[in-house]
């Protein structure tokens, strides 16, 4: 048995406080919970991964609690004792044993890839084809629902040199009010910033008919996932008649989804997300199909903390063409992080961190402070018989 054999898989739920309330179409988030995955090999290399959801199960059905349970009970038994270099074989085995649960699988694959990088002394992007960029322009989410506050927040980000792209979460307000809010923000920031909107599947085709041209007139440059994820035909019709870019996110989770999007010309671009696609390698497969089919790419996020963000960045820097950049801005939304060096944003771009593997080290003190199973927290939970 090789010394690189996997000795243990550990999962830890971490609850990080948010800097401010994040309002999605389906939920309000006050904290961001993530699952830290630590995989240890026989010769002492530790792979780190992160699995998280955008504040609960509304997006993909998984929650941090289900991710932890799925890994501990059903995935880890296949990983312990295996060779971390057999990722394709391991993930195929896991796929046969566990249907769905893409987020849990992504956390595992991330830690395995981190081990590979560390064991050969290379950053992960060098194993993925090499870097074509060292930084990525990333959007900042505007999601409080109050246009004045959102303009103020954007101005602060512009002044700090952190973000000059803003993505407005829509769908929590009635469409008329929501479109008015987005137009106000886009007009307020015009010439200074690029503004995009994401209704997270909340629109119907009738809404899109009047909303899309109005948003375009106000200077919004992109609409993300306006319709329910299954409705590629509606998205194709909107893409054809709009003078504003249309992006699919929820509807592009697997390589099979991507083939349908290419066939139907259902969007101008798709958002890649490591979590929804069960890992970095699958995301690359989706990226290849999109590129071959003439559909542009965007580097999406589930608001991972600095660990998952660093891993996403390892993928993003290998993608030659990202005309609208990405949105790896999770680390800025949490008030504190568990990485030793949190993600760095300079000149309006996220900077690629140096280092082997995904390039992140855990701050053990912070981890102990924010982990959910901290002993003093466990004692405070009343048991109901
Ligand atoms: Mn989205």
């Amino acid at each position: 048995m090789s010394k690189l054999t996997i000795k243990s898989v550990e999962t830890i739920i971490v609850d990080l406080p948010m800097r401010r309330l994040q309002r999605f179409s389906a939920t309000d988030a006050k904290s961001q919970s993530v699952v830290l995955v630590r995989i240890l090999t026989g010769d002492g290399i530790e792979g780190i991964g992160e699995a998280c959801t955008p504040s609960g199960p509304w997006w993909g059905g998984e929650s941090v609690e289900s991710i932890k349970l799925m890994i501990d009970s059903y995935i880890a038994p296949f990983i312990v004792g295996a060779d971390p270099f057999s990722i394709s074989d391991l993930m195929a085995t896991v796929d046969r044993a566990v249907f769905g649960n893409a987020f849990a699988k992504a956390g595992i694959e991330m830690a395995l890839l981190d081990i590979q990088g560390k064991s050969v002394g290379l950053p992960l992007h060098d194993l993925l084809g090499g870097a074509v960029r060292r930084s990525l322009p990333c959007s900042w989410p505007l999601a409080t629902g109050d246009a004045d506050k959102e303009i103020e927040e954007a101005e602060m980000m512009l002044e700090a040199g952190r973000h000059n792209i803003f993505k407005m979460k829509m769908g929590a307000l009635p469409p008329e009010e929501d479109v008015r809010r987005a137009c106000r923000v886009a007009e307020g920031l015009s010439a200074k910033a690029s503004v995009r909107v994401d209704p997270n599947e909340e629109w119907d085709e009738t809404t899109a008919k009047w909303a899309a041209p109005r948003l375009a007139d106000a200077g919004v440059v992109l609409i993300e996932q306006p319709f329910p994820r299954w409705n590629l035909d509606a998205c194709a019709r909107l893409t054809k008649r709009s003078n504003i870019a249309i992006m699919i996110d929820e509807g592009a989770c697997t390589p099979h989804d991507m083939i349908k999007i290419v066939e139907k010309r259902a969007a101008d671009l798709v958002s890649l997300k490591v979590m929804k696609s069960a890992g970095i390698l699958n995301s690359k497969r989706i990226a290849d199909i999109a590129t071959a089919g003439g559909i542009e790419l965007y580097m999406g996020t589930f608001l991972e903390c600095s660990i998952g963000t660093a891993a996403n960045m390892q993928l993003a820097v290998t993608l030659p063409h990202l005309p609208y950049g990405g949105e790896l801005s999770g680390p800025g939304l949490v008030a504190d992080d568990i990485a030793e060096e949190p993600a760095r944003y300079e000149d309006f771009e996220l900077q690629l961190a140096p280092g082997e593997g995904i390039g992140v080290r855990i701050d053990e003190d912070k981890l102990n402070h924010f982990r959910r199973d901290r002993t003093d927290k466990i004692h405070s939970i009343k048991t109901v018989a």
Side-chain angles (χ1 to χ4, degrees):
M1 209 179 248
S2 115
K3 281 205 299 188
L4 256 182
T5 301
I6 291 161
K7 216 171 81 178
S8 63
V9 176
E10 187 187 6
T11 56
I12 303 162
I13 297 179
V14 181
D15 299 310
L16 297 168
M18 291 280 234
R19 260 181 221 286
R20 58 128 168 93
L21 185 84
Q22 171 87 355
R23 178 158 284 177
F24 294 99
S25 60
T27 188
D28 282 352
K30 294 186 189 75
S31 69
Q32 172 66 337
S33 301
V34 308
V35 179
L36 173 65
V37 180
R38 311 185 90 162
I39 300 185
L40 200 63
T41 66
D43 58 351
I45 295 177
E46 188 187 52
I48 297 165
E50 176 188 343
C52 76
T53 71
S55 309
W58 65 276
W59 200 102
E62 291 178 80
S63 65
V64 285
E65 295 82 8
S66 81
I67 291 167
K68 180 174 167 49
L69 179 126
M70 202 48 75
I71 293 177
D72 292 351
S73 306
Y74 298 99
I75 299 178
F78 294 104
I79 308 295
V80 175
D83 173 355
F85 271 80
S86 320
I87 292 190
S88 301
D89 185 36
L90 267 177
M91 297 316 285
T93 305
V94 168
D95 277 338
R96 277 195 296 275
V98 178
F99 178 81
N101 290 278
F103 298 28
K105 291 171 183 170
I108 286 285
E109 192 225 41
M110 198 183 288
L112 292 173
L113 288 168
D114 190 36
I115 291 174
Q116 289 195 354
K118 284 171 174 164
S119 67
V120 296
L122 290 173
L124 181 54
H125 60 258
D126 278 345
L127 305 182
L128 298 173
V132 293
R133 64 181 82 237
R134 312 301 298 180
S135 62
L136 179 73
C138 283
S139 77
W140 177 254
L142 297 176
T144 59
D146 178 322
D148 289 331
K149 280 195 193 135
E150 285 167 340
I151 293 172
E152 212 174 286
E153 193 178 331
E155 301 274 10
M156 269 167 52
M157 287 295 170
L158 285 163
E159 241 160 73
R162 282 177 71 95
H163 301 277
N164 57 7
I165 305 172
F166 300 96
K167 182 168 116 175
M168 304 190 63
K169 283 289 176 186
M170 294 182 83
L173 302 170
E176 275 282 349
E177 203 179 318
D178 225 6
V179 168
R180 256 201 314 276
R181 159 186 164 245
C183 289
R184 238 183 92 216
V185 171
E187 281 157 1
L189 297 173
S190 68
K192 284 186 273 188
S194 170
V195 176
R196 299 97 187 260
V197 300
D198 184 2
N200 280 111
E201 311 179 277
E202 288 290 320
W203 288 0
D204 51 34
E205 231 173 326
T206 334
T207 304
K209 264 188 186 152
W210 60 262
R214 242 203 256 178
L215 289 164
D217 285 349
V220 174
V221 299
L222 183 153
I223 301 173
E224 178 173 339
Q225 197 67 53
F227 308 121
R229 61 192 78 188
W230 56 267
N231 204 345
L232 294 182
D233 291 321
C235 217
R237 286 188 285 272
L238 182 65
T239 302
K240 202 167 176 194
R241 70 166 176 263
S242 295
N243 57 352
I244 179 170
I246 306 296
M247 178 158 79
I248 289 184
D249 174 10
E250 280 89 331
C253 293
T254 67
H256 311 288
D257 293 342
M258 196 59 237
I259 288 174
K260 286 197 195 107
I261 292 166
V262 169
E263 281 170 355
K264 288 178 183 285
R265 311 302 309 162
D268 298 299
L269 65 164
V270 291
S271 178
L272 289 177
K273 288 183 178 174
V274 170
M275 288 293 128
K276 70 178 180 184
S277 303
I280 288 175
L281 299 179
N282 237 8
S283 302
K284 261 190 100 68
R285 289 178 195 117
I286 293 170
D288 290 341
I289 298 168
T291 304
I295 291 187
E296 306 288 356
L297 300 170
Y298 174 84
M299 192 64 224
T301 183
F302 276 128
L303 306 179
E304 289 91 341
C305 74
S306 285
I307 296 159
T309 296
N312 286 332
M313 188 61 173
Q314 295 288 335
L315 169 65
V317 296
T318 69
L319 302 169
H321 196 53
L322 292 168
Y324 289 80
E327 56 181 26
L328 304 180
S329 52
L333 276 170
V334 289
D336 210 342
D337 215 316
I338 52 168
E340 264 181 24
E341 296 104 27
R344 210 159 46 85
Y345 299 85
E346 272 171 27
D347 303 323
F348 301 107
E349 303 202 2
L350 170 63
Q351 307 296 314
L352 175 64
E356 299 170 357
I358 63 172
V360 180
R361 279 186 305 272
I362 302 290
D363 182 322
E364 300 294 341
D365 291 336
K366 286 188 176 171
L367 172 62
N368 281 331
H369 183 73
F370 291 116
R371 60 190 295 159
R372 189 177 288 183
D373 60 0
R374 225 171 74 173
T375 355
D376 52 343
K377 283 190 196 165
I378 290 171
H379 288 312
S380 69
I381 296 169
K382 280 198 190 94
T383 2
V384 183

